[in-house]
Amino acid sequence: MEFKDFGLHADIERALTAKRYTQPTPIQSQAIPVLLEGRDLCGIAQTGTGKTAAFSLPSLDYMLSNPRPRTPRGCRMLVLSPTRELAAQIAQSCRDYGRFTKLSVATVFGGVPINRQIRDLSQGVDILVATPGRLLDLVDQRALRLDDVEIFVLDEADQMMDMGFIHSLRRVAKILPKQRQNLFFSATMPKEIAALAQQFLHDPVTVSVAPQATTAEKIRQRVTFVEQKEKQALLHHVLRSEEIDRALIFTRTKHGADRVVRHLKGAGIDAFAIHGNKSQGQRTTALQAFRSGQVRLLVATDIAARGIDVSGVSHVINFEIPNVPEQYVHRIGRTARAGAEGIAISFVAPDERTYLRDIERVTRTRAEPVALPDGFTEMVRNLPKPAQPPRNTGGKGRDPQRQREDALRKKADGAPSRGPRREAAGEGAQPQRKRRFRPRRGGVGAHKGAVQRVG
Ligand code: AMP
């Protein structure tokens, strides 16, 4: 099947050609015809399967075929996303797919001033992508009305539940008009999510692209058994020995993420952390730097990384493995996107072995065991000291990570003519050379916590 078989509006087909999409992904083949008929849809699919295009292409097509003037403070299509990162990504995809049309897209999420969002909405928009909390704030302030919504999309429903958005979602369900098309997506469909789906959907068609918690086929999974306190040395070894394009490193806690970054910096390896304690500005900067390849290592917690779509993530490293098997599937799904190959490496401490067994049972796969490298004891002994945690000296310039983040942010802000960052690192970009991360030799400077970009 090809995209032209759907008979989508010519302006959408043009955008697909520009993005060099030739064949629809399985979720797109299944969902697009049903949605073009105006049916409700329950999609069981994880990020990385192409579900954003699956729901946005037919919706754009509907709006183009049924033009209607914008109503002040209203929107025709509402997409709810659990995280700001995913919301920004969905909005960017809608802009990409609608770039040859006049349809407007706005994003609203918390953590940034509300006034600009109120202004953006004042004339009304065609597509609004929002996180639930800020959406309801705007409704309460009468800056947004939902009585014109014709298409409602609830994305990553299981994550919404994990993040405690259930009450907000129930409220949204009450405000939405009765007559509308509903699309509901979730990576998993346990009973409570199915119950939530029932509240939104009317006689839906269900499509599922991968059996629940199936591990992406193209990912090579490896596991090394190692003591918790020796994991940092193993990480440095992996970064030195693997051909890494971009790696996402997962830790279980926010402090754990910061600690890994400090250790890497101590060894002269540049990395950013992304987690819930970081400001929106820091998170955006870190993601942009990662997308553009300026920083090749991003250390993340699960919540912060959910939905991140960065092409060219060659490795996912589980510094700690998750205690929920589905989370493992989500994590390793960050690599091997849209047909690319990927490698997932898990460091498993003795007390994590039961988690690994659960993961293997649920995914029905077995990761290939890889022994600790020769001379590992030596590597542990010679591990450079971590960089000092940033001190609150009141002087912004003292903290090198912050200095670097500020510099990157300024650069990003000052370069509007370059267009969206995502494109710079995305489909049309030159493939980047793979590199190894080489810590500085001798480690003298590294012991002082000097920061140097390597790779
Ligand atoms: P999603 O699951 O919507 O986050 O999409 C994952 C990635 O696949 C995104 O980078 C999309 O740009 C890409 N993608 C989606 N559909 C296609 C397609 N039909 N052909 C090639 N790439 C696609």
Side-chain angles (χ1 to χ4, degrees):
M1 178 175 262
E2 293 184 24
F3 274 110
K4 61 173 165 34
D5 299 331
F6 297 130
L8 291 164
H9 193 284
D11 289 344
I12 303 176
E13 283 194 352
R14 239 178 108 196
L16 295 175
T17 309
K19 278 190 87 70
R20 302 205 191 97
Y21 288 5
T22 45
Q23 292 206 315
T25 65
I27 182 96
Q28 292 162 2
S29 312
Q30 292 180 55
I32 291 175
V34 174
L35 292 172
L36 286 172
E37 282 174 22
R39 295 279 305 266
D40 279 11
L41 181 93
C42 180
I44 305 168
Q46 61 195 71
T47 305
T49 52
K51 70 182 156 79
T52 315
F55 69 70
S56 44
L57 299 179
S59 305
L60 292 173
D61 184 88
Y62 169 80
M63 286 185 278
L64 290 172
S65 319
N66 301 275
R68 219 190 57 190
R70 292 172 199 138
T71 41
R73 294 173 288 123
C75 65
R76 298 189 70 185
M77 175 181 182
L78 172 65
V79 184
L80 281 190
S81 139
T83 63
R84 328 169 213 206
E85 283 79 15
L86 182 60
Q89 231 164 251
I90 294 171
Q92 188 55 51
S93 296
C94 290
R95 286 190 189 104
D96 288 351
Y97 302 138
R99 64 190 272 205
F100 298 111
T101 74
K102 292 207 164 61
L103 295 172
S104 61
V105 184
T107 325
V108 299
F109 45 68
V112 292
I114 199 166
N115 286 343
R116 189 164 156 213
Q117 298 175 352
I118 293 177
R119 257 203 325 275
D120 288 348
L121 294 175
S122 62
Q123 302 301 313
V125 294
D126 294 306
I127 302 162
L128 178 64
V129 189
T131 53
R134 180 53 65 93
L135 178 93
L136 288 171
D137 281 351
L138 286 158
V139 169
D140 290 340
Q141 294 196 26
R142 297 186 191 285
L144 172 67
R145 34 187 286 207
L146 301 182
D147 46 2
D148 286 322
V149 172
E150 293 166 83
I151 303 168
F152 172 66
V153 183
L154 182 57
D155 200 11
E156 306 249 339
D158 50 355
Q159 181 75 354
M160 292 270 194
M161 295 287 262
D162 284 357
M163 292 173 74
F165 282 134
I166 182 71
H167 299 294
S168 303
L169 295 180
R170 288 212 184 104
R171 249 197 88 192
V172 173
K174 282 200 197 118
I175 315 173
L176 286 169
K178 295 257 172 314
Q179 270 292 341
R180 54 171 209 258
Q181 186 180 26
N182 298 291
L183 289 65
F184 186 99
F185 289 90
S186 189
T188 55
M189 195 54 72
K191 265 196 231 115
E192 67 272 26
I193 308 286
L196 179 71
Q198 269 196 342
Q199 292 185 21
F200 285 97
L201 297 169
H202 173 72
D203 187 23
V205 175
T206 300
V207 302
S208 171
V209 287
Q212 202 165 321
T214 298
T215 313
E217 276 169 14
K218 296 232 165 132
I219 303 172
R220 280 174 44 205
Q221 299 174 67
R222 307 204 305 242
V223 56
T224 298
F225 298 102
V226 58
E227 293 295 330
Q228 181 66 31
K229 62 180 187 304
E230 297 177 348
K231 284 183 174 180
Q232 191 77 36
L234 182 60
L235 177 64
H236 292 203
H237 165 74
V238 166
L239 297 179
R240 272 196 303 266
S241 53
E242 290 280 322
E243 292 282 335
I244 290 182
D245 187 352
R246 283 192 198 96
L248 255 175
I249 300 164
F250 283 95
T251 60
R252 205 172 297 143
T253 66
K254 303 170 201 174
H255 293 300
D258 286 334
R259 202 162 39 235
V260 168
V261 168
R262 282 203 303 278
H263 265 285
L264 288 171
K265 293 201 165 173
I269 299 173
D270 204 7
F272 276 171
I274 179 165
H275 54 63
N277 283 359
K278 297 275 179 189
S279 70
Q280 182 57 33
Q282 286 172 319
R283 286 160 71 159
T284 308
T285 309
L287 260 182
Q288 280 181 351
F290 190 56
R291 275 204 176 112
S292 67
Q294 283 169 294
V295 167
R296 287 160 180 270
L297 304 178
L298 192 63
V299 186
T301 55
D302 287 303
I303 297 267
R306 251 322 259 272
I308 290 179
D309 173 27
V310 177
S311 45
V313 173
S314 56
H315 290 67
V316 166
I317 300 174
N318 293 308
F319 194 86
E320 278 126 11
I321 63 166
N323 49 7
V324 181
E326 281 80 6
Q327 203 72 57
Y328 175 85
V329 179
H330 284 304
R331 283 186 186 184
I332 70 169
R334 307 302 92 201
T335 182
R337 305 213 126 193
E341 294 223 328
I343 295 174
I345 303 174
S346 299
F347 297 171
V348 175
D351 63 353
E352 292 176 304
R353 285 185 184 232
T354 47
Y355 301 153
L356 180 68
R357 271 198 292 277
D358 289 345
I359 289 167
E360 291 185 335
R361 206 183 51 240
V362 170
T363 60
R364 295 198 204 96
T365 58
R366 203 155 256 262
E368 174 198 342
V370 174
L372 287 169
D374 289 342
F376 185 61
T377 320
E378 197 74 352
M379 291 177 202
V380 172
R381 207 172 318 133
N382 294 335
L383 183 72
K385 289 211 168 32
Q388 291 298 312
R391 267 182 304 152
N392 194 1
T393 56
K396 227 177 163 185
R398 290 279 183 91
D399 167 11
Q401 158 128 16
R402 197 144 148 198
Q403 261 183 347
R404 191 156 146 55
E405 286 179 358
D406 283 346
L408 281 170
R409 199 170 316 148
K410 276 202 198 108
K411 209 168 149 197
D413 291 345
S417 59
R418 283 218 225 131
R421 296 251 133 191
R422 182 153 184 234
E423 287 197 346
E427 290 80 7
Q430 293 293 318
Q432 293 190 340
R433 231 165 12 103
K434 297 195 175 189
R435 300 177 200 183
R436 291 198 174 134
F437 291 85
R438 297 215 176 277
R440 295 197 301 162
R441 247 175 235 221
V444 179
H447 278 267
K448 286 185 190 149
V451 178
Q452 185 206 3
R453 263 203 79 214
V454 179

